């Protein structure tokens, strides 16, 4: 489970934000990867990054990212796509064969914009390969946006890699994007304004409060409910004229999808919860990170860290961050 969305400030600064919701303890931390970083795919093929990257993940033998942004202002987040993702069992000779969890590092390392992604996606072949950290093949789809505000979703539910234009800039989990878009037709009554008084059989009925326009707004934690809620809140929230105001709006939005420990359990009774929230400024290349353990928001400026960086830099909370006061 995770929720992601784009948001544009009144000054046209674009952001991507997400919650990372999982039961397995990811121990995800901010990582900066320099341009020219060489890494090995699970098939032993060497890949090298064209761009410097900041994202969240873990580094053991190789760095694995679950979200990130590169120095061209392209940002990606991967989310679970249970019962929908389909990968190939066979390698394809003339393509770059990647495990699903490797795809995000390749995108951030090699693609400068959504338009470039659409031209390069044919180079990629996603294979049915486990991630050693979880000992399973992770079913994923990906939301991608850039500093222009263009947004797409990459899904494999029909057995091939498809780049789907995302007109809303919102993504949660299964089902596929097209289903979520159709489902919105069930919520046309949603409005931030109140319903007017009306007569029933000559009796005037007045609204009890100011919130009747949101009576149909779903409040659960399922993927369809979170998708509808994210679309509605993104549509009507005051986005702010400055970066500070927009970041404040983003984290207020994220609060609506943040899952505390204990309120949702796996079959093993392990709690699935929001391990962190993150936002990326695609205009100013700044990273904002809020772990579960604190309400503070920490920030890192990508360009400041990339200078003279030769190998991946891993950050520790309260030691390497700047605390951002919104």
């Amino acid at each position: 489970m995770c929720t992601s969305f784009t948001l544009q400030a009144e000054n046209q600064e674009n952001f991507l934000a997400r919650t990372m919701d999982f039961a397995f303890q990811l121990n995800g931390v901010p990582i900066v990867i320099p341009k020219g970083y060489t890494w090995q795919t699970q098939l032993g093929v060497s890949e090298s990054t064209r761009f410097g990257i900041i994202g969240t993940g873990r580094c053991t033998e190789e760095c694995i990212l679950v979200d990130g942004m590169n120095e061209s202002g392209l940002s990606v987040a991967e989310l679970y796509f249970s019962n929908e993702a389909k990968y190939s069992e066979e390698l394809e000779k003339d393509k770059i064969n990647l495990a699903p969890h490797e795809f995000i590092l390749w995108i951030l390392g090699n693609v400068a914009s959504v338009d470039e992604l659409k031209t390069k996606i044919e180079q990629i072949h996603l294979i049915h390969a486990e991630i050693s950290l979880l000992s399973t093949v992770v079913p994923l789809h990906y939301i991608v946006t850039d500093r222009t505000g263009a947004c797409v979703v990459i899904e494999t539910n029909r057995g091939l890699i498809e780049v789907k234009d995302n007109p809303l800039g919102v993504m949660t989990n299964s089902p596929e994007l097209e289903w979520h878009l159709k489902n919105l037709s069930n919520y046309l009554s949603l409005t931030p304004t109140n319903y007017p008084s009306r007569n029933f059989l000559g009796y005037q009925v007045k609204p009890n409060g100011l919130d009747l326009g949101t009576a149909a707004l779903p409040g659960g934690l399922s993927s369809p409910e979170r998708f509808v809620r994210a679309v509605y809140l993104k549509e009507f929230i005051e986005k702010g004229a400055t970066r500070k105001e927009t970041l404040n709006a983003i984290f207020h939005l994220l609060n609506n999808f943040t899952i505390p420990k204990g309120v949702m359990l796996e079959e093993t009774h392990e709690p699935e919860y929001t391990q962190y929230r993150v936002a990326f400024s695609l205009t100013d290349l700044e990273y904002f990170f809020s772990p579960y353990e604190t309400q503070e928001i920490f920030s890192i400026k990508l360009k400041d860290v990339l200078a003279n960086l030769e190998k991946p830099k891993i950050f520790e909370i309260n030691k390497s961050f700047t605390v951002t006061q919104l």
Side-chain angles (χ1 to χ4, degrees), residues 47-318:
E47 293 290 335
S48 183
T49 59
R50 289 173 55 204
F51 306 109
I53 300 165
I54 187 168
T56 320
R58 288 174 64 166
C59 288
T60 51
E61 293 181 3
E62 300 290 351
C63 290
I64 297 173
L65 298 179
V66 294
D67 50 60
M69 169 182 66
N70 67 24
E71 58 186 316
S72 291
L74 182 89
S75 188
V76 189
E78 61 184 34
L79 285 74
Y80 246 56
F81 197 35
S82 301
N83 303 318
E84 297 281 354
K86 297 180 177 68
Y87 308 122
S88 176
E89 299 283 353
E90 304 292 334
L91 303 182
E92 196 154 327
K93 182 179 179 182
D94 297 324
K95 293 193 176 184
I96 301 170
N97 294 277
L98 298 173
H101 59 275
E102 297 173 324
F103 190 26
I104 190 168
L105 180 55
W106 183 89
I107 294 173
L108 290 170
N110 293 277
V111 179
S113 67
V114 167
D115 283 343
E116 186 179 10
L117 174 67
K118 291 179 178 180
T119 65
K120 285 190 169 182
I121 197 69
E122 293 182 359
Q123 300 177 23
I124 300 302
H125 185 63
L126 293 181
I127 58 172
H128 192 81
E130 288 188 356
I131 179 172
S132 59
L133 184 64
L134 298 171
S135 299
T136 190
V137 180
V138 283
L140 299 173
H141 60 172
Y142 313 82
I143 183 170
V144 187
T145 187
D146 62 26
R147 59 185 12 162
T148 71
C151 183
V152 295
V153 166
I154 302 173
E155 295 184 329
T156 59
N157 54 295
R158 285 190 277 261
L160 65 159
I161 301 174
E162 295 182 87
V163 179
K164 306 174 180 180
D165 289 327
N166 185 344
L168 302 175
V170 169
M171 192 173 83
T172 54
N173 308 102
S174 304
E176 73 280 0
L177 177 64
E178 295 90 340
W179 187 96
H180 285 293
L181 296 178
K182 288 181 180 179
N183 184 48
L184 289 174
S185 64
N186 293 310
Y187 297 93
L188 294 175
S189 64
L190 290 175
T191 174
T193 57
N194 205 5
Y195 291 154
S197 301
R198 62 174 298 180
N199 287 323
F200 289 96
L201 302 176
Y203 177 75
Q204 187 179 45
V205 179
K206 297 180 180 180
N208 289 323
L210 295 175
D211 53 0
L212 286 181
T214 62
L217 188 66
L221 297 176
S222 72
S223 174
E225 289 173 296
R226 285 182 285 111
F227 190 96
V228 173
R229 200 157 69 248
V231 170
Y232 174 83
L233 294 173
K234 177 182 171 179
E235 169 72 13
F236 292 109
I237 193 170
E238 292 186 4
K239 299 170 179 64
T242 66
R243 160 181 290 201
K244 180 178 179 180
E245 291 171 349
T246 304
L247 278 168
N248 191 42
I250 285 171
F251 279 91
H252 277 298
L253 282 176
L254 289 170
N255 287 340
N256 286 273
F257 312 103
T258 300
I259 304 170
K261 281 185 179 180
V263 303
M264 189 172 64
L265 303 178
E266 295 274 331
E267 292 180 0
T268 59
H269 293 282
E270 288 294 319
E272 178 159 328
Y273 70 101
T274 300
Q275 298 189 14
Y276 67 84
R277 291 98 53 81
V278 67
F280 301 92
S281 166
L282 311 182
T283 305
D284 202 48
L285 303 182
E286 191 164 3
Y287 168 98
F288 300 90
F289 180 79
S290 177
Y292 184 85
E293 293 76 16
T294 177
Q295 295 296 309
E296 290 181 306
I297 299 168
F298 303 93
S299 65
I300 303 170
K301 291 186 177 181
L302 177 57
K303 289 184 177 180
D304 290 349
V305 183
L306 279 180
N308 302 315
L309 190 67
E310 296 181 355
K311 61 181 181 180
K313 181 176 176 61
I314 300 170
F315 287 78
E316 296 181 28
I317 297 172
N318 293 332

